[in-house]
Amino acid sequence: MKFGVVVFPGSNCDHDTYHVISKLIGQPVRFIWHAETSVADCDVVILPGGFSYGDYLRCGAIASCSPVMRAVREHAARGGYVVGICNGFQILCEAGLLPGVLLRNAGLRFCCDLVRVRVERADTPFTHTYAPGEVVTLPIAHGEGNYYCAPEEVARLEAEGRVLFRYVDAAGQPTPAANPNGSLHNIAGILNAEGNVLGLMPHPERACEEALGSGDGLRFFQALMLTLRDAEQQRRGAATVTVSG
């Protein structure tokens, strides 16, 4: 089981993510330079937060054309897990791996704060360590986190249960006041149709130790670790049955 963290020029949460995976959940992880053309040795590929290529053009637009993104697309097409956090979410949208786009925040201000996020589903590879509807505290730090897509697309996301995280207030309600960036339907994170690609604006890797203000993000990475472990156990079990048969 191996994690890979893609490094673009301008990434600044790559080491945070590496630290969580290597030190806090104790899993093999490597950095993937943006010019690489294969991620075949990784089970999970993470596109971290930051300002890839200085956020020139649209955020994530240049990074979406990096050589590594062809490998990331192929990895996702094979059913491999892909996570885009903040700038990584923007890159996934620009690359066409997720629908929609991240626009400038409402009010045109950079948002840097702890926010409440509701876990809409607890039956996914990314969230099965949470309770359905659980409200967690995660940090945000972005200037372009205002998620938007066409009305028919957001209706599809909602109908198919592909909105995985949503900004909420202390009572767990997705009110306008709880929305830090103007995101459509208070959306904080979405899945692709196959359920193996996730993009989210909040930073779980910055909320894995209580000293940082919240430990709620640790279970996000633990969920992925357990998902991979269970899949590996199933593969070994199937191999044993085949050999025995």
Side-chain angles (χ1 to χ4, degrees), residues 52-189:
S52 59
Y53 295 92
D55 278 349
Y56 292 114
L57 299 182
R58 296 181 307 276
C59 294
I62 300 178
S64 71
C65 299
S66 287
V68 75
M69 289 307 297
R70 179 174 181 177
V72 172
R73 290 186 184 92
E74 293 170 350
H75 175 76
R78 293 192 299 267
Y81 297 112
V82 179
V83 178
I85 302 171
C86 197
N87 188 224
F89 186 6
Q90 296 162 344
I91 295 169
L92 291 177
C93 289
E94 292 291 339
L97 284 165
L98 290 173
V101 65
L102 282 306
L103 304 175
R104 291 289 302 275
N105 294 345
L108 305 182
R109 292 186 176 183
F110 189 90
C111 296
C112 184
D113 203 355
L114 287 172
V115 298
R116 296 181 182 89
V117 177
R118 190 172 70 198
V119 181
E120 300 291 69
R121 291 177 54 190
D123 61 345
T124 77
F126 312 96
T127 57
H128 61 89
T129 48
Y130 297 97
E134 182 175 354
V135 176
V136 299
T137 300
L138 300 175
I140 56 170
H142 57 251
E144 292 85 11
N146 184 354
Y147 181 76
Y148 178 81
C149 62
E152 60 271 20
E153 186 65 55
V154 75
R156 185 178 301 113
L157 290 173
E158 296 285 9
E160 296 177 357
R162 290 164 55 194
V163 177
L164 196 54
F165 298 105
R166 204 182 306 268
Y167 301 112
V168 296
D169 62 16
Q173 298 303 307
T175 62
N179 190 332
N181 50 38
S183 183
L184 196 65
H185 288 212
N186 282 48
I187 289 173

Side-chain angles (χ1 to χ4, degrees), residues 44-55:
V44 178
V45 175
I46 299 176
L47 310 184
F51 303 91
S52 59
Y53 295 92
D55 278 349

